[in-house]
Amino acid sequence: GLPDEETCAALGEVDIDGAMIDIIGHRDTMREVYHLESDPEDYENSLAWLERYKVPTIPHIILGLHFGKMLGEDNALEMIVRHPPKILVLVVLMSLTGTPMMGVTPPSLEEIGAFFEESRKALPSTPVMLGCARPMGNIKLEIDKLAIDAGLNGIACPANGIVEYARQSGLKPKLINGCC
């Protein structure tokens, strides 16, 4: 959700490891997908308050959140860059049965790869991770390859074969029992 300043101050007092927060960069997505009467500035305020109260942030950007279309992801990244996170997590919209997103096609591999590269360049010294939420099947393997090719620092629940792909790319994968 959107923590207010009082919540951010309280989180700062308890010395938590990090606050995970979805960052949405377009008003239409906030209203049409999350059904919030909010604006992107509200997300920026939350990031600023978390930063002020020294709460490490782990923002998530959901690629294709606006019914499979890229709308506001660039703005979300810009907000995050202004309030440097502990870790940035990128995820890709999943078309889940029984939800309003059932049957929605995620962004193209080209759009996903370009955003991975843009994120890596925007936060060169920050760990950028591919989170566990992403489409299943053959596209998962392709998305994971794009993450490696773009220089992302980690992949949650990697696709079959991706550890070997990382090795073939000159990397030394380390398996960690954790997510995001």
Side-chain angles (χ1 to χ4, degrees):
L2 280 164
D4 58 18
E5 185 171 10
E6 181 182 355
T7 301
C8 294
L11 288 171
E13 292 176 11
V14 295
D15 194 35
I16 62 172
D17 292 334
M20 293 185 182
I21 178 173
D22 291 348
I23 302 298
I24 302 171
H26 200 282
R27 184 176 193 231
D28 292 350
T29 305
M30 297 173 81
R31 293 168 193 272
E32 296 172 28
V33 177
Y34 274 37
H35 308 289
L36 295 174
E37 291 296 321
S38 301
D39 294 300
E41 293 77 23
D42 297 318
Y43 282 92
E44 179 125 26
N45 289 338
S46 292
L47 286 171
W49 291 324
L50 289 165
E51 182 179 27
R52 177 182 305 154
Y53 295 106
K54 299 183 180 6
V55 177
T57 59
I58 306 169
H60 287 51
I61 299 176
I62 305 164
L63 282 63
L65 180 60
H66 196 88
F67 304 99
K69 295 185 177 21
M70 299 286 284
L71 180 66
E73 286 83 349
D74 287 331
N75 188 36
L77 181 59
E78 290 170 10
M79 283 190 272
I80 292 165
V81 167
R82 288 192 291 271
H83 306 281
K86 177 179 180 178
I87 299 168
L88 170 61
V89 178
L90 304 175
V91 296
V92 181
L93 179 75
M94 297 174 69
S95 175
L96 297 175
T97 303
T99 71
M101 296 291 177
M102 183 172 73
V104 171
T105 302
S108 70
L109 290 171
E110 292 78 18
E111 290 172 298
I112 293 168
F115 195 82
F116 287 175
E117 291 175 11
E118 180 182 349
S119 299
R120 174 73 284 152
K121 288 176 187 166
L123 294 164
S125 60
T126 300
V128 179
M129 314 293 282
L130 177 57
C132 60
R134 56 193 185 279
M136 294 294 162
N138 291 336
I139 191 172
K140 180 179 179 181
L141 178 62
E142 296 306 316
I143 291 171
D144 289 8
K145 285 180 180 179
L146 291 171
I148 289 171
D149 295 344
L152 272 56
N153 300 91
I155 300 173
C157 306
N160 289 337
I162 205 64
V163 173
E164 185 55 33
Y165 181 81
R167 284 189 182 110
Q168 291 171 1
S169 298
L171 301 173
K172 296 179 182 171
K174 197 176 359 173
L175 300 180
I176 299 170
N177 188 13
C179 190
C180 294

